[in-house]
Amino acid sequence: MSQGNRIVVMMGSIREGRINDRVAAWVMGQLQQHGFAPELLDPADPDLLPVQIQDKAAIARLRDRMAGADGFVIVTPEYNHAEPGPLKTLIDSVTDEWWARPIGLISYGGISGGLRAIEALRVILSELHTVTIRDTVSFASPWRRFDEAGNITDPEHAAAAETAMADFSHRLRWWADALADARAARPYDRPKDKEQD
Ligand SMILES: Cc1cc2nc3c(=O)[nH]c(=O)nc-3n(C[C@H](O)[C@H](O)[C@H](O)COP(=O)(O)O)c2cc1C
């Protein structure tokens, strides 16, 4: 049985002064506590930022960073009831690296906690042959909940978020292990008569 430990955590915002750093820091710590080896992928990283203009070398670096992952966790805000544009560009810039991988979705935003961005992403990510995890973790008004280091300041809220993250991690673990086994047994390839699908 495989252990699908290698999880790439993809941030959704490149906005100056973004809250994304705080939420992503919390998610990284939680995933480590649940036995994963998370690696942070920041679309604002100078090496990856040129992906936004489809720079070929930057896309190659993105593919390298995603290659061989056992799964992904996307940590995203909601912009106008959907995911931010830079995240969509990142998602659209690679293909096979997504295939047959589980993806966990974590959101934040105003009163909705960014849930509409999650639902928008499910439709997009199914086109890329992924499995999105049913369980989610979401934060309404994270600017009131997280300190600069990514700690949740209210203990009661921290406990509730940790419980949600434990359920999320349990499901992510099952899918990451199951799909690692499935890919090892049989490559997830293209149908014979198709170059692209
Ligand atoms: C262009 C834009 C559109 C937004 N639209 C929504 C929205 O539809 N729903 C919502 O809950 N929050 C919305 N927000 C609030 C963001 O979720 C909030 O500002 C969040 O902190 C943005 O994440 P970031 O700071 O990591 O970029 C929007 C923010 C921006 C900048």
Side-chain angles (χ1 to χ4, degrees):
M1 241 195 49
S2 311
Q3 275 276 293
N5 274 336
R6 202 188 141 221
I7 301 294
V8 172
V9 176
M10 193 174 277
M11 297 168 74
S13 173
I14 61 170
R15 201 177 63 83
E16 229 174 84
R18 64 189 179 184
I19 302 288
N20 212 158
D21 295 284
R22 306 184 201 184
V23 186
W26 180 83
V27 170
M28 292 289 287
Q30 290 289 308
L31 288 171
Q32 278 159 359
Q33 282 183 32
H34 289 288
F36 292 104
E39 295 166 23
L40 192 65
L41 194 154
D42 178 358
D45 176 333
D47 281 348
L48 299 178
L49 199 52
V51 169
Q52 300 300 326
I53 55 163
Q54 298 293 279
D55 175 83
K56 285 194 168 57
I59 293 172
R61 287 192 286 273
L62 174 64
R63 295 182 72 133
D64 278 354
R65 298 275 296 276
M66 292 175 65
D70 295 306
F72 299 91
V73 171
I74 295 179
V75 183
T76 187
E78 176 176 303
Y79 284 4
N80 293 322
H81 292 200
E83 75 292 338
L87 173 61
K88 177 68 162 60
T89 300
L90 216 68
I91 291 170
D92 293 342
S93 299
V94 300
T95 50
D96 306 29
E97 287 76 7
W98 290 117
W99 286 15
R101 262 64 182 195
I103 307 189
L105 298 165
I106 296 183
S107 70
Y108 58 94
I111 212 163
S112 71
L115 288 171
R116 290 165 296 211
I118 286 186
E119 295 312 316
L121 281 167
R122 287 192 197 283
V123 177
I124 295 161
L125 293 169
S126 70
E127 179 62 13
L128 287 158
H129 305 249
T130 69
V131 178
T132 58
I133 305 298
R134 180 263 186 199
D135 297 78
T136 60
V137 183
S138 66
F139 297 95
S141 310
W143 44 91
R144 281 200 249 122
R145 301 187 188 282
F146 287 87
D147 67 16
E148 293 283 338
N151 303 302
I152 300 174
T153 48
D154 172 42
E156 207 175 308
H157 188 247
E162 282 162 21
T163 300
M165 195 66 197
D167 293 348
F168 173 98
S169 298
H170 181 75
R171 300 298 188 197
L172 180 62
R173 159 65 60 212
W174 191 93
W175 281 104
D177 288 352
L179 291 179
D181 281 343
R183 289 192 308 273
R186 187 176 171 192
Y188 189 85
D189 54 6
R190 289 183 166 82
K192 273 198 176 52
D193 57 340
K194 288 192 178 170
E195 298 224 322
Q196 211 171 4
D197 65 332

